[in-house]
Amino acid sequence: MDVFLLQFTEEKLGQAEKTELDAHLENLLARADSTKNWTEKIFRQTEALLQPNPVDHTGARIEEFLFEKLDRKLPSRTTNGELLGQYMLEAANDFGPGTPYGSTLIKVGESQRRLGGAEREFMQAASISFLTPLRNFLEGDWRTISKERRVLQNRRLDLDACKARLKKAKAAEAKVAAMPDFQETRPRNYVLSASASALWSEEVDKAEHELRVAQTEFDRQAEVTRLLLEGISSTHVHHLRCLHEFVEAQATYYAQCQQYMQDLQKQLGSANGEVFPNTLGVNANAPPAPAGASPSAAATLPLTPAPGGASASAMQADSLKIEEVQPPATGTRKAKVLYDYDAADTSELSLLADELITVYTVPGMDPDWLIGERGNQKGKVPVTYLELLS
């Protein structure tokens, strides 16, 4: 270990040579590092998608760890949607399931429970088909690759240390060989010189042997590491298949949610007809509301007969004369304007966002329009641009 540390320190200081890996192995290492980094990010973010609350996520991981250590099956968790549905059903029983509010709470609560169940199934499917393979790679394959890379690094440091020792031994041997020949003039110096030459020759032979061994071990470890790194291609193929399964699970989940909400809308639509009779609906002929329009803009307003009896009833939308329309004795309401609206003709009333106007309807009008009054101004206004207040 001291040799490794010395070699590593000298390399960092630029005082020692470093054996470079071949280009193919370097590319494999870079590809493996990229795969690990992105897999880790995708894994963490997918966990956050399935469990947005970090506190809940940490608690869930601790619970999973404990049940795994106890070799027991992890119980299914109640989702937020299921919990909301449960609260709504309990509230409906408290308010009275026969009341309009209570009966609607039952319908919405059941739908929320179904949505929560679909969410739980999606979370389980995504965890099994997508998260588990990513986790297995990070905690299994990648740890093996990292271990073999550390071994390869140690083998390289050992190889370079052997190269450095051989280089020093050869330099010392050459220096001794370059000394003057004292065989005749100084016999004692000659004996010492010959002894030193023999020692350095022996040191060179030993260093060459260690270098050959280190080179063999390095080459063997490089091959092991290369085979592991080439397995990253198989990992990509496996993760691709898992990604397709994740998309399928997500598509199924959203399709279920859409179907549940459509069913709920149908139920609430028929219920609204009973709870709020004689209300205005919204049809395809209404002017489109701006993006982000609130559903409350299509609120309801009772139909109230206008003065004039039969003559008012005979009035048609196309021939409606605004100046002849009079507000009914009852049935007028205040409305808040949600968005600016420019009148298309003289029969319509231009609107400014957040202003308050008085609105009412008369028989024969398009149900997506109301008569609006502001001071001495009067004209047709679209329902989708209003929020009825009272």
Side-chain angles (χ1 to χ4, degrees), residues 313-379:
S313 300
M315 202 178 300
Q316 301 298 320
D318 293 338
S319 59
L320 183 65
K321 295 182 179 180
I322 297 299
E323 63 274 8
E324 298 178 0
V325 175
Q326 297 298 325
T330 59
T332 60
R333 298 179 66 174
K334 290 292 184 180
K336 178 182 178 181
V337 178
L338 300 176
Y339 315 100
D340 292 346
Y341 178 74
D342 294 327
D345 53 48
T346 56
S347 67
E348 296 179 4
L349 180 66
S350 294
L351 304 174
L352 294 176
D354 296 328
E355 69 173 328
L356 296 178
I357 61 174
T358 301
V359 294
Y360 53 89
T361 186
V362 295
M365 281 192 64
D366 186 325
D368 296 305
W369 293 83
L370 299 174
I371 301 297
E373 290 189 0
R374 179 181 57 231
N376 59 354
Q377 296 178 319
K378 179 167 52 178

Side-chain angles (χ1 to χ4, degrees), residues 176 180-183 186-198:
V176 170
D181 187 358
F182 297 107
Q183 184 173 1
R186 298 179 183 178
R188 183 178 179 182
N189 289 348
Y190 170 75
V191 172
L192 293 175
S193 176
S195 176
S197 178

Side-chain angles (χ1 to χ4, degrees), residues 177-354:
M179 293 179 64
D181 187 358
F182 297 107
Q183 184 173 1
E184 295 181 356
T185 58
R186 298 179 183 178
R188 183 178 179 182
N189 289 348
Y190 170 75
V191 172
L192 293 175
S193 176
S195 176
S197 178
L199 288 174
W200 282 116
S201 295
E202 182 180 349
E203 185 67 23
V204 168
D205 292 340
K206 181 181 177 181
E208 288 178 342
H209 173 71
E210 291 177 350
L211 177 60
R212 286 193 296 270
V213 173
Q215 185 70 57
T216 301
E217 292 180 352
F218 172 77
D219 293 340
R220 184 186 300 114
Q221 186 60 35
E223 181 65 15
V224 171
T225 306
R226 182 184 63 79
L227 291 175
L228 287 174
L229 294 174
E230 288 177 346
I232 292 293
S233 297
S234 299
T235 299
H236 284 190
V237 173
H238 180 49
H239 288 181
L240 173 62
R241 183 166 58 251
C242 296
L243 183 59
H244 279 280
E245 293 178 4
F246 172 72
V247 172
E248 288 298 324
Q250 199 170 31
T252 300
Y253 167 59
Y254 287 128
Q256 288 178 326
C257 292
Q258 182 183 24
Q259 184 61 50
Y260 294 155
M261 293 309 299
Q262 288 177 344
D263 294 342
L264 177 60
Q265 283 181 316
K266 292 178 182 178
Q267 295 179 33
L268 295 183
S270 60
N272 285 343
E274 300 171 358
V275 178
F276 307 109
N278 299 327
T279 58
L280 296 179
V282 178
N283 61 34
N285 296 325
S294 170
S296 63
T300 60
L301 187 69
L303 281 171
T304 306
S311 61
S313 300
M315 202 178 300
Q316 301 298 320
D318 293 338
S319 59
L320 183 65
K321 295 182 179 180
I322 297 299
E323 63 274 8
E324 298 178 0
V325 175
Q326 297 298 325
T330 59
T332 60
R333 298 179 66 174
K334 290 292 184 180
K336 178 182 178 181
V337 178
L338 300 176
Y339 315 100
D340 292 346
Y341 178 74
D342 294 327
D345 53 48
T346 56
S347 67
E348 296 179 4
L349 180 66
S350 294
L351 304 174
L352 294 176
D354 296 328

Side-chain angles (χ1 to χ4, degrees), residues 4-24:
F4 295 158
L5 181 60
L6 177 61
Q7 178 66 26
F8 181 79
T9 303
E10 290 180 347
E11 287 179 359
K12 292 298 182 181
L13 296 175
Q15 298 175 356
E17 296 180 0
K18 176 181 177 181
T19 298
E20 300 294 340
L21 302 176
D22 64 84
H24 177 60

